[in-house]
Amino acid sequence: MKIFIRKITVLGIDILLLIASVFLSFFLRFDTNFSYAYQAFNRQFADILPVYVLLFIAVYLFFGLYKSLWSYASVNEVFSIVLANTFAIFAFVALLFFVNDNVPRSIIVLLWIFNNLLISAFRMSYRVIRHMGTDIAFNNHDGERTLIIGAGDAGCMVVKELRKHNELNMNPVAFIDDDKDKTGKYLLGIPVVGDRTRIEKTVKEEDIKQVVIAMPSVKGSNIREVVDICKRTRCKLKILPGVFELLNGTVTASQLRDVQIEDLLGREQVQLDIESICDDLEDRVVLVTGGGGSIGSELCRQIAKFEPRRLLILDIYENSVYDLQNELARKHPYLKMDVLIASVRDKARLDGIFRRYKPDVVFHAAAHKHVPLMEGNPTEAIKNNVFGTMNVAEAADKYHTKKFVLISTDKAVNPTNIMGATKRVAEMIIQSMDKHSKTVFSAVRFGNVLGSNGSVVPLFRKQIEQGGPVTVTHPEVTRFFMTIPEAVQLVLQAGSMAKGGDIFVLDMGEPVKIDDLARDLIKLSGLEPDKDIKIEYVGLRPGEKLYEEILMDEEGLTATKHEKIYIGKPIFSDINQLRQELEKLKFYLLGSEDKLIKFME
């Protein structure tokens, strides 16, 4: 109702302005002589005034001028107004040819000018008044004094958002920017006080309570340096997401969030060859096993964007895939998908699924992945990671799947634990299958994924929330890390590049010390390591290494066209030997775990 009243009000004011344009045109045409102008109007225009008004209003409706949010009127809307008035004035001239040809041509020109000026000025005036009111309200606002790091487009948009939302209780008083040409200048009435070396000094001088990092296109390594400086100030710290997360080019208050450990990885945005991924996934039937897991669910989210003919989500745990199904249905209402509750251990069930759907592409993410848990449950790791992989691979071969991508791990390299050993056998399965199948089999190997189920970061956060201690296995232990979206994007890219038997190795950047990771998380929570939250070293768990590797010595490494993806050459291809060894493994599964583990070694 409120919107309807607003539109009627705007339409009524437009009618008054159109009439005012007529009187102004006649007044100016007759040298501001009111008497002559009034007589000429009665003689030449009064009879057609209603027709003139209705014609222009009809054209405005046709051009959608009443659908715009006039509180945000801009140059685009002014252009639409000029276009509408130009169209309307030509239509009016054509109408005069049949109705009344006594209107002076100078009046027509003046009408076009005054209509554009008055209608545009009215549209823009509300925005000007609204912003004046916002600025007045903001200048009186006594929220927490805030420093904005980044005086670019993103920083300016952050300031505008903060001025709209007083409830955020943030009052921007200064900019920091590494561009020395901006130092001493003012943006939106706020001074640029210097580069990052001035952060700590500015915080003290300006009594800053909050800092917002607004540098979405800056490299991750630079973000980390800035965050390290900001952490020393003990201010509340917010960050704007990376530029690839700001797809529409705008910034909203809801996008400001606390700095997360992912922001400190120092990793750059992944550049994708979208065309090659599209060719692989668009209008294809795509199956994701383990679709409810951290990697599997993100695979499904990203695959859905490429408009597959059908997305098949297979998982044995129904709760996680139920939530994913609802999410995808909401975000992609036209996506055809089927949720398949099944175990990769069940060969007959898999055969039925492949026979019915005949998937073109398979991403095999179903696996037991927890190293210590699998040390205590080796038979389950083998059943799932080895024989489950064999079941899916054989079904893909039997029903002529075009591509099969195994999600592997750096723990498969020179494995020292059951989980790593089973994933290495899974790699051997797809390498040997590729030599005897028309299906293109490949594997993608990467390290730990930040925020995934059971990973170290959620554990540390929970321990911090509980007041500590934070438990680290060893002060020197290191791991490779990726974010979930980054890992999945590279999996999709590697899959599109697969030729057969490839072990794709993702560039994980520099390894991260788990001790440093724990200390950063504590600091980002506004606390001091070893003071507010203790760190305890509990020793390496069964099967754990001090550091992980991504490549075996004999594999070698070949660069690809993608700077973050490499290929390790195939080193195993004897399917018959593999089948013989797997039959022995089945036998040992029925015996004692000690003999089983000895055989795996």
Side-chain angles (χ1 to χ4, degrees), residues 433-451:
M433 286 285 293
D434 184 75
K435 297 298 180 182
H436 306 276
S437 173
K438 292 183 179 179
T439 300
V440 175
F441 286 90
S442 63
V444 182
R445 186 189 289 164
F446 52 87
N448 299 274
V449 179
L450 281 174

Side-chain angles (χ1 to χ4, degrees), residues 19 116 122 136 143 177 179 183 196 248 251 261 271 282 301 339 397 410 446 448 472 499 528 530 548 583 594-595:
I19 295 172
N116 282 320
F122 166 56
I136 292 170
D177 199 283
D179 185 350
T183 300
R196 69 183 66 180
N248 59 359
V251 172
I261 200 68
Q271 301 292 334
E282 189 177 15
R301 291 185 188 97
V339 171
D397 172 53
D410 54 4
F446 52 87
N448 299 274
V472 177
K499 302 298 182 185
E528 283 293 321
D530 299 320
E548 300 290 3
E583 286 301 318
D594 290 340
K595 291 182 179 179

Side-chain angles (χ1 to χ4, degrees), residues 18-288:
L18 287 169
I19 295 172
S21 293
V22 175
F23 284 108
L24 285 171
S25 298
F26 275 93
F27 189 63
L28 191 64
R29 166 68 177 78
F30 290 97
D31 300 323
T32 69
N33 187 308
F34 180 80
S35 179
Y36 285 157
Y38 184 72
Q39 291 176 19
F41 166 76
N42 281 330
R43 186 172 61 253
Q44 298 172 338
F45 209 94
D47 291 342
I48 60 171
L49 181 62
V51 176
Y52 154 81
V53 170
L54 287 173
L55 175 63
F56 272 74
I57 293 297
V59 172
Y60 290 174
L61 286 168
F62 177 77
F63 275 81
L65 297 191
Y66 300 106
K67 294 180 180 179
S68 299
L69 293 173
W70 51 293
S71 56
Y72 297 95
S74 63
V75 174
N76 288 336
E77 186 161 20
V78 171
F79 177 77
S80 296
I81 290 170
V82 173
L83 195 63
N85 278 320
T86 303
F87 184 88
I89 207 73
F90 276 110
F92 184 61
V93 169
L95 185 66
L96 289 177
F97 181 79
F98 296 101
V99 178
N100 184 353
D101 200 26
N102 295 325
V103 179
R105 297 297 173 260
S106 57
I107 292 292
I108 300 298
V109 174
L110 289 170
L111 278 175
W112 182 81
I113 293 172
F114 280 121
N115 283 344
N116 282 320
L117 287 175
L118 293 179
I119 300 296
S120 297
F122 166 56
R123 292 297 197 282
M124 297 299 293
S125 63
Y126 182 81
R127 181 175 181 178
V128 172
I129 293 169
R130 182 175 180 273
H131 278 271
M132 286 176 62
T134 301
D135 288 341
I136 292 170
F138 180 76
N139 290 332
N140 294 329
H141 180 50
D142 59 353
E144 292 187 334
R145 296 173 68 80
T146 303
L147 176 65
I148 310 296
I149 301 180
D153 292 339
C156 290
M157 286 190 283
V158 166
V159 170
K160 291 176 183 178
E161 276 295 299
L162 295 182
R163 288 180 170 177
K164 291 179 193 174
H165 297 277
N166 286 349
E167 71 275 8
L168 294 175
N169 196 37
M170 297 169 72
N171 177 14
V173 296
F175 278 111
I176 288 287
D177 199 283
D178 287 337
D179 185 350
K180 296 190 182 300
D181 291 338
K182 293 181 180 179
T183 300
K185 305 291 196 309
Y186 281 76
L187 293 175
L188 303 175
I190 298 173
V192 182
V193 297
D195 59 19
R196 69 183 66 180
T197 61
R198 288 268 310 176
I199 291 175
E200 291 181 270
K201 187 175 181 180
T202 302
V203 166
K204 292 178 182 177
E205 291 177 348
E206 298 293 337
D207 191 27
I208 299 296
K209 302 299 182 185
Q210 296 206 51
V211 176
V212 175
I213 300 173
M215 304 187 297
S217 59
V218 172
K219 292 182 179 180
S221 54
N222 284 329
I223 294 290
R224 184 181 181 97
E225 290 176 14
V226 170
V227 171
D228 285 341
I229 297 172
C230 292
K231 283 189 295 187
R232 297 198 293 265
T233 68
R234 304 300 297 271
C235 290
K236 298 176 186 175
L237 198 54
K238 299 284 185 182
I239 193 167
L240 196 65
V243 70
F244 62 96
E245 296 174 69
L246 304 176
L247 297 179
N248 59 359
T250 62
V251 172
T252 63
S254 63
Q255 288 168 321
L256 290 176
R257 57 166 172 77
D258 293 335
V259 176
Q260 297 170 358
I261 200 68
E262 290 88 337
D263 300 309
L264 307 184
L265 276 182
R267 302 186 63 79
E268 300 175 22
Q269 178 186 351
V270 174
Q271 301 292 334
L272 297 178
D273 180 0
I274 300 297
E275 187 175 344
S276 66
I277 298 175
C278 266
D279 290 342
D280 249 22
L281 303 178
E282 189 177 15
D283 198 33
R284 308 281 189 182
V285 178
V286 183
L287 168 64
V288 179

Side-chain angles (χ1 to χ4, degrees), residues 47 53 85 101 120 298 316 366 376 389 404 411 459 537 540:
D47 291 342
V53 170
N85 278 320
D101 200 26
S120 297
E298 183 63 22
I316 195 170
T389 298
F404 180 106
K411 293 170 181 62
L459 172 63
Y537 301 105
L540 292 174

Side-chain angles (χ1 to χ4, degrees), residues 439-584:
T439 300
V440 175
F441 286 90
S442 63
V444 182
R445 186 189 289 164
F446 52 87
N448 299 274
V449 179
L450 281 174
S452 63
N453 296 330
S455 66
V456 69
V457 172
L459 172 63
F460 286 168
R461 283 181 175 143
K462 188 173 182 180
Q463 290 175 334
I464 293 168
E465 288 172 5
Q466 294 171 347
V470 170
T471 56
V472 177
T473 55
H474 190 284
E476 297 301 320
V477 70
T478 63
R479 293 290 181 268
F480 293 100
F481 282 102
M482 303 184 88
T483 64
I484 294 175
E486 179 185 24
V488 168
Q489 287 167 2
L490 290 174
V491 166
L492 294 178
Q493 187 72 77
S496 71
M497 298 160 60
K499 302 298 182 185
D502 321 274
I503 300 290
F504 289 98
V505 178
L506 305 188
D507 177 8
M508 302 292 295
E510 294 299 317
V512 177
K513 286 181 70 172
I514 301 299
D515 188 50
D516 291 343
L517 193 69
R519 293 178 185 277
D520 281 338
L521 275 171
I522 293 170
K523 290 176 183 176
L524 290 177
S525 301
L527 302 168
E528 283 293 321
D530 299 320
K531 182 180 178 182
D532 301 315
I533 299 288
K534 290 184 178 180
I535 294 179
E536 288 186 2
Y537 301 105
V538 296
L540 292 174
R541 297 175 296 180
E544 282 193 318
K545 300 178 183 179
L546 264 182
Y547 60 92
E548 300 290 3
E549 305 160 273
I550 59 172
L551 201 67
M552 288 185 284
D553 293 337
E554 64 268 29
E555 286 180 317
L557 201 64
T558 304
T560 69
K561 62 181 180 181
H562 196 286
E563 61 180 3
K564 291 192 176 186
I565 301 175
Y566 300 86
I567 300 177
K569 65 183 180 182
I571 60 173
F572 188 88
S573 60
D574 191 336
I575 187 66
N576 293 323
Q577 181 187 347
L578 179 64
R579 289 187 190 278
Q580 290 174 9
E581 294 299 317
L582 290 180
E583 286 301 318
K584 292 180 185 178

